[in-house]
Amino acid sequence: MATLADSFVAPAAEIAAAFGTLDADELVFVLQQCLEAGAWDHALALTDALEGVEQTPGIRLCRAVATFLSGDTAGGLSAVDEVLAGGARPLPALSVRAEMLLRLGQREAARESLLELVGRYPDYPRAQGLLATLYMPGPHYREVLARLHQLLRPKTYLEIGVDTGATLALAQQSELAVGVDPVNALRVRLPPNARFFEEASDEFFAQRGRDAVFGPRRVALAFIDGLHRFENALSDFANVESWSDPAGTIVLHDCVPILARAAARERSTKFWVGDTWKIVPALRAYRPELKLTTVLAPPSGLVVVRRLNPGSRVLSERRDEILQRFLSLPFERAPGDFAPELNAVQNDDSGLAQALGG
Ligand SMILES: C[S@@+](CC[C@H](N)C(=O)[O-])C[C@H]1O[C@@H](n2cnc3c(N)ncnc32)[C@H](O)[C@@H]1O
């Protein structure tokens, strides 16, 4: 058993005297507090001292986690399996099992538990995020964006969909970074070169000219991460490209959903990317000269678009036709079955080099 650096657990009699009147629900609460505090030794001591309390699945799971954290990983995992063997296969046990298996490097088994978990309740905390990291290993999309800033050193940056400002703040080296979002939810300190427009992107492009925002410069790097609807992604792309440098780069977020439910037009889960993904087949069909490469960065990929043509009017002129053709497209891919049109590359520097090369 592993030992904590500053390990001390009160004698069993003292624990029993202090906690002996707790019912099972209250005991689970205390056990969770112990685990959150990293005090797995105290959690084990509590369950030892209060053996008389009914051993509910919640108590057994807390004990299993404490056992696992103590270093007895096989014991912890088999205790979870015993809870699952009870018949009802409780969701928390599936979640705990998946997290233990991930820590043990057993990715395939972890994936099975997570798929069962999201199949029964797609919003289970952390489940979709963890699943995404299994299908798309490597750095989180914000780290990949940070790397793109390092590699490209764009003088001008435009972001559609800013939220807290976490990605706009990555444009530290740019001379001018512009963010557009109808909601001001900024929490991250922005660099002095940043300007924020509290506007919906359609309104922003309709009311403002490039000269007024960027002066004589064109956009060197753009990140489109606004409203998760195909039609918005399409107009955002067309507008952003018209302001872009032909040698520039546009990055699209949320085009690689793992679950069909998250890829639906109508939102029915917390983790939701909407039908933004339809922009990839649409661009392939209507703008074959663009170079599209998808870096499989969790949780929902980054499509890197190069060989831009700011003079192209195809997407705006044929918008109705494009919407009619792609709006009703169903998402029929199984998790991890990445569409060939994504031109998926690994989520590392070699993948980024492929995306940015040529
Ligand atoms: C996923 S968040 C952006 C996250 C941010 N880029 C990041 O990575 O941290 C999506 C944002 O799009 C914004 N949004 C919604 N509708 C929009 C629109 N029509 N134009 C621009 N942004 C929009 C939302 O207010 C929300 O802040």
Side-chain angles (χ1 to χ4, degrees):
M1 183 189 284
T3 47
L4 289 169
D6 182 25
S7 186
F8 172 82
V9 179
E14 194 177 335
I15 292 176
F19 296 98
T21 56
L22 298 189
D23 64 18
D25 289 345
E26 290 167 320
L27 181 54
V28 167
F29 191 86
V30 179
L31 289 170
Q32 283 177 330
Q33 286 185 307
C34 291
L35 294 173
E36 273 165 30
W40 49 260
D41 54 349
H42 201 272
L44 288 176
L46 254 171
T47 51
D48 285 343
L50 304 181
E51 260 177 342
V53 177
E54 181 201 351
Q55 293 296 295
T56 61
I59 293 175
R60 290 163 67 199
L61 274 184
C62 288
R63 187 171 172 91
V65 172
T67 304
F68 187 91
L69 294 176
S70 78
D72 180 6
T73 54
L77 189 57
S78 77
V80 177
D81 283 338
E82 279 169 29
V83 173
L84 283 167
R89 298 186 70 72
L91 298 180
L94 282 172
S95 161
V96 167
R97 181 171 198 271
E99 299 220 17
M100 285 181 174
L101 289 165
L102 275 174
R103 288 193 186 204
L104 294 172
Q106 297 182 36
R107 297 168 66 84
E108 197 47 52
R111 192 191 318 253
E112 276 172 31
S113 286
L114 286 169
L115 284 172
E116 183 179 345
L117 184 61
V118 297
R120 289 175 52 199
Y121 186 66
D123 278 335
Y124 200 93
R126 286 165 53 83
Q128 285 207 47
L130 287 177
L131 200 53
T133 64
L134 285 172
Y135 289 109
M136 296 190 261
H140 185 255
Y141 80 96
R142 286 202 190 116
E143 287 172 58
V144 178
L145 278 176
R147 184 77 182 123
L148 276 170
H149 279 277
Q150 270 179 359
L151 292 169
L152 295 170
R153 303 203 164 276
K155 287 200 165 68
T156 46
Y157 175 73
L158 173 59
E159 180 168 297
I160 308 298
V162 175
D163 197 26
T164 62
T167 44
L168 185 55
L170 297 173
Q172 300 280 343
Q173 310 297 328
S174 298
E175 288 169 9
L176 177 58
V178 172
V180 180
D181 196 310
V183 179
N184 184 340
L186 291 170
R187 282 207 306 271
V188 175
R189 221 171 110 116
L190 296 178
N193 58 352
R195 282 183 76 189
F196 177 72
F197 291 85
E198 194 174 332
E199 291 163 14
S201 52
D202 284 349
E203 188 189 333
F204 170 81
F205 286 109
Q207 290 180 1
R208 300 176 190 277
R210 176 171 56 86
D211 289 356
V213 180
F214 282 100
R217 292 167 292 194
R218 287 191 160 272
V219 175
L221 175 64
F223 181 43
I224 299 181
D225 193 16
L227 194 57
H228 293 177
R229 287 286 172 108
F230 172 48
E231 58 272 37
N232 293 80
L234 193 63
S235 50
D236 284 345
F237 183 86
N239 285 323
V240 168
E241 189 189 23
S242 72
W243 285 24
S244 290
D245 190 312
T249 306
I250 299 177
V251 180
L252 301 162
H253 198 205
D254 294 325
C255 293
V256 193
I258 296 293
L259 297 181
R261 181 104 176 243
R265 272 181 80 68
E266 298 310 323
R267 184 173 193 164
S268 67
T269 49
K270 178 165 173 55
F271 184 87
W272 176 68
V273 295
D275 67 344
T276 319
W277 55 273
K278 293 171 189 165
I279 194 169
V280 174
L283 291 178
R284 286 277 179 221
Y286 285 84
R287 298 290 311 283
E289 75 281 17
L290 293 171
K291 182 185 177 205
L292 304 186
T293 314
T294 302
V295 179
L296 293 176
S300 49
L302 290 174
V303 179
V304 179
V305 188
R306 302 270 282 182
R307 298 183 197 150
L308 305 173
N309 177 4
S312 174
R313 295 289 167 265
V314 175
L315 299 179
S316 43
E317 285 170 5
R318 299 178 71 182
R319 181 176 169 84
D320 291 347
E321 175 190 328
I322 298 172
L323 292 180
Q324 196 172 17
R325 182 164 159 195
F326 291 96
L327 256 185
S328 55
L329 201 68
F331 185 83
E332 289 173 328
R333 300 214 160 253
D337 174 16
F338 301 117
E341 67 249 24
L342 285 169
N343 185 26
V345 294
Q346 284 194 5
N347 181 13
D348 57 19
D349 266 4
S350 72
L352 277 181
Q354 280 173 265
L356 298 177

